[in-house]
Amino acid sequence: RTAGAMWQILGDPSTDINFYTKRLTLSGVYLSTLARWFADEAGDDGEAPYAATWAFLDDRIENVMQFEKVKGRFQKGAPDRQRIAAFLGKLRYGSSA
């Protein structure tokens, strides 16, 4: 619910599979960062309060961005589904269809 509320506040219009994947990804980042925050010693050794938690969150966001880059490269190289469907339709029904 928290991840859904966050995306809703940001105005996310997705209704397809992206609706679920965005919330799942955000939930993973949110829950793991929350767990790290609970374990953080909050600047006991002179560093900024919760510096380790902020660094952890930055790393998780970088992980998500790396995944999105790889996904984008894969989608760019993937065959066009409409062209494949049209080709298969021509095979099945002939070129007049």
Side-chain angles (χ1 to χ4, degrees):
R1 289 184 186 170
T2 301
M6 288 177 182
W7 277 113
Q8 189 174 23
I9 289 168
L10 292 172
D12 178 40
S14 63
T15 56
D16 56 359
I17 189 71
N18 286 328
F19 177 89
Y20 299 102
T21 58
K22 286 179 178 181
R23 280 144 183 84
L24 183 63
T25 302
L26 180 57
S27 293
V29 170
Y30 179 72
L31 290 173
S32 63
T33 303
L34 192 60
R36 179 63 184 100
W37 177 61
F38 285 138
D40 202 337
E41 297 299 322
D44 289 344
D45 57 356
E47 66 181 57
Y50 304 110
T53 300
W54 286 109
F56 180 85
L57 176 59
D58 288 341
D59 291 343
R60 297 302 68 78
I61 292 171
E62 181 60 31
N63 292 148
V64 171
M65 298 307 293
Q66 288 172 354
F67 176 77
E68 290 299 320
K69 286 178 188 175
V70 169
K71 186 175 84 173
R73 276 189 246 136
F74 174 75
Q75 287 175 338
K76 195 181 282 185
D80 183 12
R81 287 182 273 167
Q82 287 182 331
R83 289 179 50 202
I84 292 172
F87 174 73
L88 293 174
K90 287 179 182 179
L91 287 178
R92 171 67 175 96
Y93 300 107
S95 60
S96 62

PDB file of all heavy atoms in Angstrom, residues 39-67:
ATOM      1  N   ALA A  39      19.030  -0.468  11.523  1.00  0.00           N
ATOM      2  CA  ALA A  39      20.317  -0.972  11.981  1.00  0.00           C
ATOM      3  C   ALA A  39      21.398   0.114  12.016  1.00  0.00           C
ATOM      4  O   ALA A  39      22.483  -0.122  12.527  1.00  0.00           O
ATOM      5  CB  ALA A  39      20.777  -2.114  11.076  1.00  0.00           C
ATOM      6  N   ASP A  40      21.091   1.295  11.501  1.00  0.00           N
ATOM      7  CA  ASP A  40      22.080   2.362  11.413  1.00  0.00           C
ATOM      8  C   ASP A  40      22.405   2.910  12.801  1.00  0.00           C
ATOM      9  O   ASP A  40      21.515   3.143  13.617  1.00  0.00           O
ATOM     10  CB  ASP A  40      21.560   3.484  10.511  1.00  0.00           C
ATOM     11  CG  ASP A  40      22.659   4.349   9.947  1.00  0.00           C
ATOM     12  OD1 ASP A  40      23.747   4.404  10.545  1.00  0.00           O
ATOM     13  OD2 ASP A  40      22.423   4.973   8.895  1.00  0.00           O
ATOM     14  N   GLU A  41      23.681   3.159  13.032  1.00  0.00           N
ATOM     15  CA  GLU A  41      24.129   3.686  14.320  1.00  0.00           C
ATOM     16  C   GLU A  41      23.988   5.208  14.393  1.00  0.00           C
ATOM     17  O   GLU A  41      24.353   5.811  15.392  1.00  0.00           O
ATOM     18  CB  GLU A  41      25.580   3.262  14.577  1.00  0.00           C
ATOM     19  CG  GLU A  41      25.764   1.762  14.684  1.00  0.00           C
ATOM     20  CD  GLU A  41      24.977   1.150  15.824  1.00  0.00           C
ATOM     21  OE1 GLU A  41      24.880   1.765  16.904  1.00  0.00           O
ATOM     22  OE2 GLU A  41      24.438   0.046  15.627  1.00  0.00           O
ATOM     23  N   ALA A  42      23.501   5.832  13.359  1.00  0.00           N
ATOM     24  CA  ALA A  42      23.128   7.249  13.330  1.00  0.00           C
ATOM     25  C   ALA A  42      24.230   8.200  13.767  1.00  0.00           C
ATOM     26  O   ALA A  42      24.042   9.049  14.623  1.00  0.00           O
ATOM     27  CB  ALA A  42      21.873   7.472  14.153  1.00  0.00           C
ATOM     28  N   GLY A  43      25.391   8.067  13.189  1.00  0.00           N
ATOM     29  CA  GLY A  43      26.443   9.042  13.403  1.00  0.00           C
ATOM     30  C   GLY A  43      27.160   8.934  14.731  1.00  0.00           C
ATOM     31  O   GLY A  43      27.709   9.914  15.219  1.00  0.00           O
ATOM     32  N   ASP A  44      27.184   7.775  15.346  1.00  0.00           N
ATOM     33  CA  ASP A  44      27.851   7.606  16.634  1.00  0.00           C
ATOM     34  C   ASP A  44      29.354   7.820  16.542  1.00  0.00           C
ATOM     35  O   ASP A  44      29.992   8.167  17.534  1.00  0.00           O
ATOM     36  CB  ASP A  44      27.583   6.209  17.207  1.00  0.00           C
ATOM     37  CG  ASP A  44      26.144   6.057  17.675  1.00  0.00           C
ATOM     38  OD1 ASP A  44      25.466   7.100  17.839  1.00  0.00           O
ATOM     39  OD2 ASP A  44      25.704   4.916  17.884  1.00  0.00           O
ATOM     40  N   ASP A  45      29.940   7.637  15.376  1.00  0.00           N
ATOM     41  CA  ASP A  45      31.391   7.767  15.229  1.00  0.00           C
ATOM     42  C   ASP A  45      31.801   9.095  14.599  1.00  0.00           C
ATOM     43  O   ASP A  45      32.874   9.225  14.039  1.00  0.00           O
ATOM     44  CB  ASP A  45      31.947   6.595  14.424  1.00  0.00           C
ATOM     45  CG  ASP A  45      31.297   6.465  13.051  1.00  0.00           C
ATOM     46  OD1 ASP A  45      30.369   7.243  12.752  1.00  0.00           O
ATOM     47  OD2 ASP A  45      31.717   5.586  12.292  1.00  0.00           O
ATOM     48  N   GLY A  46      30.938  10.100  14.700  1.00  0.00           N
ATOM     49  CA  GLY A  46      31.277  11.427  14.204  1.00  0.00           C
ATOM     50  C   GLY A  46      30.838  11.724  12.790  1.00  0.00           C
ATOM     51  O   GLY A  46      30.951  12.855  12.338  1.00  0.00           O
ATOM     52  N   GLU A  47      30.342  10.727  12.060  1.00  0.00           N
ATOM     53  CA  GLU A  47      29.879  10.996  10.698  1.00  0.00           C
ATOM     54  C   GLU A  47      28.450  11.528  10.738  1.00  0.00           C
ATOM     55  O   GLU A  47      27.810  11.546  11.779  1.00  0.00           O
ATOM     56  CB  GLU A  47      29.980   9.738   9.830  1.00  0.00           C
ATOM     57  CG  GLU A  47      29.053   8.616  10.236  1.00  0.00           C
ATOM     58  CD  GLU A  47      29.209   7.391   9.357  1.00  0.00           C
ATOM     59  OE1 GLU A  47      30.325   6.873   9.256  1.00  0.00           O
ATOM     60  OE2 GLU A  47      28.197   6.974   8.783  1.00  0.00           O
ATOM     61  N   ALA A  48      27.992  11.988   9.608  1.00  0.00           N
ATOM     62  CA  ALA A  48      26.646  12.562   9.522  1.00  0.00           C
ATOM     63  C   ALA A  48      25.595  11.533   9.937  1.00  0.00           C
ATOM     64  O   ALA A  48      25.765  10.339   9.679  1.00  0.00           O
ATOM     65  CB  ALA A  48      26.381  13.033   8.101  1.00  0.00           C
ATOM     66  N   PRO A  49      24.526  12.000  10.586  1.00  0.00           N
ATOM     67  CA  PRO A  49      23.472  11.065  10.996  1.00  0.00           C
ATOM     68  C   PRO A  49      22.912  10.290   9.807  1.00  0.00           C
ATOM     69  O   PRO A  49      22.610  10.879   8.765  1.00  0.00           O
ATOM     70  CB  PRO A  49      22.404  11.971  11.601  1.00  0.00           C
ATOM     71  CG  PRO A  49      23.121  13.216  11.976  1.00  0.00           C
ATOM     72  CD  PRO A  49      24.247  13.356  11.002  1.00  0.00           C
ATOM     73  N   TYR A  50      22.824   9.002   9.974  1.00  0.00           N
ATOM     74  CA  TYR A  50      22.247   8.090   8.976  1.00  0.00           C
ATOM     75  C   TYR A  50      22.976   8.124   7.639  1.00  0.00           C
ATOM     76  O   TYR A  50      22.393   7.824   6.599  1.00  0.00           O
ATOM     77  CB  TYR A  50      20.757   8.363   8.793  1.00  0.00           C
ATOM     78  CG  TYR A  50      20.005   8.271  10.090  1.00  0.00           C
ATOM     79  CD1 TYR A  50      19.469   9.393  10.700  1.00  0.00           C
ATOM     80  CD2 TYR A  50      19.850   7.042  10.729  1.00  0.00           C
ATOM     81  CE1 TYR A  50      18.794   9.294  11.910  1.00  0.00           C
ATOM     82  CE2 TYR A  50      19.183   6.943  11.935  1.00  0.00           C
ATOM     83  CZ  TYR A  50      18.655   8.074  12.519  1.00  0.00           C
ATOM     84  OH  TYR A  50      17.996   7.975  13.710  1.00  0.00           O
ATOM     85  N   ALA A  51      24.246   8.455   7.656  1.00  0.00           N
ATOM     86  CA  ALA A  51      25.030   8.487   6.412  1.00  0.00           C
ATOM     87  C   ALA A  51      25.063   7.117   5.743  1.00  0.00           C
ATOM     88  O   ALA A  51      24.977   7.018   4.515  1.00  0.00           O
ATOM     89  CB  ALA A  51      26.451   8.965   6.694  1.00  0.00           C
ATOM     90  N   ALA A  52      25.170   6.051   6.537  1.00  0.00           N
ATOM     91  CA  ALA A  52      25.198   4.700   5.960  1.00  0.00           C
ATOM     92  C   ALA A  52      23.869   4.357   5.296  1.00  0.00           C
ATOM     93  O   ALA A  52      23.841   3.711   4.244  1.00  0.00           O
ATOM     94  CB  ALA A  52      25.539   3.676   7.040  1.00  0.00           C
ATOM     95  N   THR A  53      22.771   4.814   5.884  1.00  0.00           N
ATOM     96  CA  THR A  53      21.452   4.550   5.286  1.00  0.00           C
ATOM     97  C   THR A  53      21.309   5.294   3.971  1.00  0.00           C
ATOM     98  O   THR A  53      20.820   4.743   2.985  1.00  0.00           O
ATOM     99  CB  THR A  53      20.332   4.965   6.254  1.00  0.00           C
ATOM    100  OG1 THR A  53      20.466   4.214   7.457  1.00  0.00           O
ATOM    101  CG2 THR A  53      18.964   4.707   5.654  1.00  0.00           C
ATOM    102  N   TRP A  54      21.742   6.553   3.932  1.00  0.00           N
ATOM    103  CA  TRP A  54      21.668   7.323   2.687  1.00  0.00           C
ATOM    104  C   TRP A  54      22.536   6.703   1.607  1.00  0.00           C
ATOM    105  O   TRP A  54      22.137   6.641   0.440  1.00  0.00           O
ATOM    106  CB  TRP A  54      22.046   8.778   2.924  1.00  0.00           C
ATOM    107  CG  TRP A  54      20.971   9.541   3.632  1.00  0.00           C
ATOM    108  CD1 TRP A  54      20.996   9.996   4.918  1.00  0.00           C
ATOM    109  CD2 TRP A  54      19.690   9.917   3.100  1.00  0.00           C
ATOM    110  NE1 TRP A  54      19.820  10.626   5.217  1.00  0.00           N
ATOM    111  CE2 TRP A  54      18.998  10.600   4.122  1.00  0.00           C
ATOM    112  CE3 TRP A  54      19.064   9.738   1.874  1.00  0.00           C
ATOM    113  CZ2 TRP A  54      17.716  11.107   3.949  1.00  0.00           C
ATOM    114  CZ3 TRP A  54      17.786  10.241   1.697  1.00  0.00           C
ATOM    115  CH2 TRP A  54      17.122  10.916   2.725  1.00  0.00           C
ATOM    116  N   ALA A  55      23.722   6.235   1.984  1.00  0.00           N
ATOM    117  CA  ALA A  55      24.605   5.575   1.009  1.00  0.00           C
ATOM    118  C   ALA A  55      23.961   4.282   0.505  1.00  0.00           C
ATOM    119  O   ALA A  55      24.025   3.975  -0.694  1.00  0.00           O
ATOM    120  CB  ALA A  55      25.956   5.281   1.640  1.00  0.00           C
ATOM    121  N   PHE A  56      23.326   3.540   1.404  1.00  0.00           N
ATOM    122  CA  PHE A  56      22.635   2.310   1.030  1.00  0.00           C
ATOM    123  C   PHE A  56      21.515   2.618   0.031  1.00  0.00           C
ATOM    124  O   PHE A  56      21.367   1.939  -0.987  1.00  0.00           O
ATOM    125  CB  PHE A  56      22.071   1.637   2.290  1.00  0.00           C
ATOM    126  CG  PHE A  56      21.348   0.355   2.024  1.00  0.00           C
ATOM    127  CD1 PHE A  56      22.042  -0.842   1.936  1.00  0.00           C
ATOM    128  CD2 PHE A  56      19.970   0.340   1.863  1.00  0.00           C
ATOM    129  CE1 PHE A  56      21.376  -2.030   1.697  1.00  0.00           C
ATOM    130  CE2 PHE A  56      19.299  -0.847   1.624  1.00  0.00           C
ATOM    131  CZ  PHE A  56      20.001  -2.034   1.540  1.00  0.00           C
ATOM    132  N   LEU A  57      20.722   3.651   0.321  1.00  0.00           N
ATOM    133  CA  LEU A  57      19.630   4.029  -0.578  1.00  0.00           C
ATOM    134  C   LEU A  57      20.176   4.446  -1.944  1.00  0.00           C
ATOM    135  O   LEU A  57      19.625   4.043  -2.979  1.00  0.00           O
ATOM    136  CB  LEU A  57      18.802   5.161   0.034  1.00  0.00           C
ATOM    137  CG  LEU A  57      17.680   5.715  -0.834  1.00  0.00           C
ATOM    138  CD1 LEU A  57      16.676   4.625  -1.213  1.00  0.00           C
ATOM    139  CD2 LEU A  57      16.983   6.864  -0.118  1.00  0.00           C
ATOM    140  N   ASP A  58      21.245   5.225  -1.951  1.00  0.00           N
ATOM    141  CA  ASP A  58      21.855   5.621  -3.226  1.00  0.00           C
ATOM    142  C   ASP A  58      22.286   4.398  -4.036  1.00  0.00           C
ATOM    143  O   ASP A  58      22.086   4.345  -5.254  1.00  0.00           O
ATOM    144  CB  ASP A  58      23.063   6.522  -2.985  1.00  0.00           C
ATOM    145  CG  ASP A  58      22.682   7.908  -2.500  1.00  0.00           C
ATOM    146  OD1 ASP A  58      21.512   8.307  -2.678  1.00  0.00           O
ATOM    147  OD2 ASP A  58      23.563   8.587  -1.932  1.00  0.00           O
ATOM    148  N   ASP A  59      22.860   3.399  -3.356  1.00  0.00           N
ATOM    149  CA  ASP A  59      23.279   2.171  -4.039  1.00  0.00           C
ATOM    150  C   ASP A  59      22.088   1.420  -4.607  1.00  0.00           C
ATOM    151  O   ASP A  59      22.151   0.876  -5.713  1.00  0.00           O
ATOM    152  CB  ASP A  59      24.069   1.268  -3.099  1.00  0.00           C
ATOM    153  CG  ASP A  59      25.429   1.824  -2.740  1.00  0.00           C
ATOM    154  OD1 ASP A  59      25.910   2.742  -3.442  1.00  0.00           O
ATOM    155  OD2 ASP A  59      26.021   1.346  -1.747  1.00  0.00           O
ATOM    156  N   ARG A  60      20.981   1.343  -3.867  1.00  0.00           N
ATOM    157  CA  ARG A  60      19.799   0.639  -4.363  1.00  0.00           C
ATOM    158  C   ARG A  60      19.203   1.347  -5.574  1.00  0.00           C
ATOM    159  O   ARG A  60      18.782   0.719  -6.537  1.00  0.00           O
ATOM    160  CB  ARG A  60      18.719   0.520  -3.277  1.00  0.00           C
ATOM    161  CG  ARG A  60      19.072  -0.272  -2.040  1.00  0.00           C
ATOM    162  CD  ARG A  60      19.500  -1.718  -2.222  1.00  0.00           C
ATOM    163  NE  ARG A  60      20.752  -1.963  -2.883  1.00  0.00           N
ATOM    164  CZ  ARG A  60      21.982  -1.842  -2.336  1.00  0.00           C
ATOM    165  NH1 ARG A  60      22.129  -1.457  -1.109  1.00  0.00           N
ATOM    166  NH2 ARG A  60      23.059  -2.109  -3.050  1.00  0.00           N
ATOM    167  N   ILE A  61      19.173   2.669  -5.542  1.00  0.00           N
ATOM    168  CA  ILE A  61      18.664   3.423  -6.693  1.00  0.00           C
ATOM    169  C   ILE A  61      19.561   3.196  -7.905  1.00  0.00           C
ATOM    170  O   ILE A  61      19.064   3.008  -9.024  1.00  0.00           O
ATOM    171  CB  ILE A  61      18.534   4.920  -6.349  1.00  0.00           C
ATOM    172  CG1 ILE A  61      17.420   5.105  -5.309  1.00  0.00           C
ATOM    173  CG2 ILE A  61      18.267   5.751  -7.591  1.00  0.00           C
ATOM    174  CD1 ILE A  61      17.335   6.495  -4.733  1.00  0.00           C
ATOM    175  N   GLU A  62      20.853   3.157  -7.695  1.00  0.00           N
ATOM    176  CA  GLU A  62      21.790   2.880  -8.797  1.00  0.00           C
ATOM    177  C   GLU A  62      21.555   1.480  -9.365  1.00  0.00           C
ATOM    178  O   GLU A  62      21.592   1.288 -10.583  1.00  0.00           O
ATOM    179  CB  GLU A  62      23.229   3.036  -8.327  1.00  0.00           C
ATOM    180  CG  GLU A  62      24.257   2.802  -9.410  1.00  0.00           C
ATOM    181  CD  GLU A  62      24.138   3.756 -10.581  1.00  0.00           C
ATOM    182  OE1 GLU A  62      23.722   4.910 -10.402  1.00  0.00           O
ATOM    183  OE2 GLU A  62      24.467   3.321 -11.710  1.00  0.00           O
ATOM    184  N   ASN A  63      21.274   0.506  -8.486  1.00  0.00           N
ATOM    185  CA  ASN A  63      20.964  -0.853  -8.954  1.00  0.00           C
ATOM    186  C   ASN A  63      19.731  -0.859  -9.849  1.00  0.00           C
ATOM    187  O   ASN A  63      19.711  -1.517 -10.895  1.00  0.00           O
ATOM    188  CB  ASN A  63      20.728  -1.801  -7.788  1.00  0.00           C
ATOM    189  CG  ASN A  63      21.962  -2.081  -6.971  1.00  0.00           C
ATOM    190  OD1 ASN A  63      21.853  -2.292  -5.773  1.00  0.00           O
ATOM    191  ND2 ASN A  63      23.138  -2.085  -7.573  1.00  0.00           N
ATOM    192  N   VAL A  64      18.698  -0.137  -9.449  1.00  0.00           N
ATOM    193  CA  VAL A  64      17.468  -0.065 -10.245  1.00  0.00           C
ATOM    194  C   VAL A  64      17.759   0.589 -11.591  1.00  0.00           C
ATOM    195  O   VAL A  64      17.289   0.119 -12.635  1.00  0.00           O
ATOM    196  CB  VAL A  64      16.358   0.693  -9.483  1.00  0.00           C
ATOM    197  CG1 VAL A  64      15.163   0.970 -10.389  1.00  0.00           C
ATOM    198  CG2 VAL A  64      15.920  -0.084  -8.250  1.00  0.00           C
ATOM    199  N   MET A  65      18.557   1.659 -11.587  1.00  0.00           N
ATOM    200  CA  MET A  65      18.878   2.343 -12.838  1.00  0.00           C
ATOM    201  C   MET A  65      19.694   1.452 -13.776  1.00  0.00           C
ATOM    202  O   MET A  65      19.466   1.451 -14.987  1.00  0.00           O
ATOM    203  CB  MET A  65      19.626   3.651 -12.554  1.00  0.00           C
ATOM    204  CG  MET A  65      18.809   4.653 -11.754  1.00  0.00           C
ATOM    205  SD  MET A  65      17.197   5.011 -12.460  1.00  0.00           S
ATOM    206  CE  MET A  65      17.659   5.833 -13.943  1.00  0.00           C
ATOM    207  N   GLN A  66      20.609   0.674 -13.234  1.00  0.00           N
ATOM    208  CA  GLN A  66      21.383  -0.257 -14.057  1.00  0.00           C
ATOM    209  C   GLN A  66      20.458  -1.300 -14.687  1.00  0.00           C
ATOM    210  O   GLN A  66      20.592  -1.634 -15.857  1.00  0.00           O
ATOM    211  CB  GLN A  66      22.457  -0.946 -13.214  1.00  0.00           C
ATOM    212  CG  GLN A  66      23.596  -0.061 -12.832  1.00  0.00           C
ATOM    213  CD  GLN A  66      24.535  -0.724 -11.833  1.00  0.00           C
ATOM    214  OE1 GLN A  66      24.267  -1.810 -11.341  1.00  0.00           O
ATOM    215  NE2 GLN A  66      25.638  -0.056 -11.548  1.00  0.00           N
ATOM    216  N   PHE A  67      19.523  -1.809 -13.910  1.00  0.00           N
ATOM    217  CA  PHE A  67      18.567  -2.784 -14.432  1.00  0.00           C
ATOM    218  C   PHE A  67      17.748  -2.174 -15.558  1.00  0.00           C
ATOM    219  O   PHE A  67      17.519  -2.807 -16.595  1.00  0.00           O
ATOM    220  CB  PHE A  67      17.649  -3.287 -13.310  1.00  0.00           C
ATOM    221  CG  PHE A  67      16.596  -4.216 -13.793  1.00  0.00           C
ATOM    222  CD1 PHE A  67      16.897  -5.535 -14.103  1.00  0.00           C
ATOM    223  CD2 PHE A  67      15.293  -3.782 -13.974  1.00  0.00           C
ATOM    224  CE1 PHE A  67      15.927  -6.400 -14.567  1.00  0.00           C
ATOM    225  CE2 PHE A  67      14.313  -4.643 -14.436  1.00  0.00           C
ATOM    226  CZ  PHE A  67      14.638  -5.951 -14.731  1.00  0.00           C
TER     227      PHE A  67
END
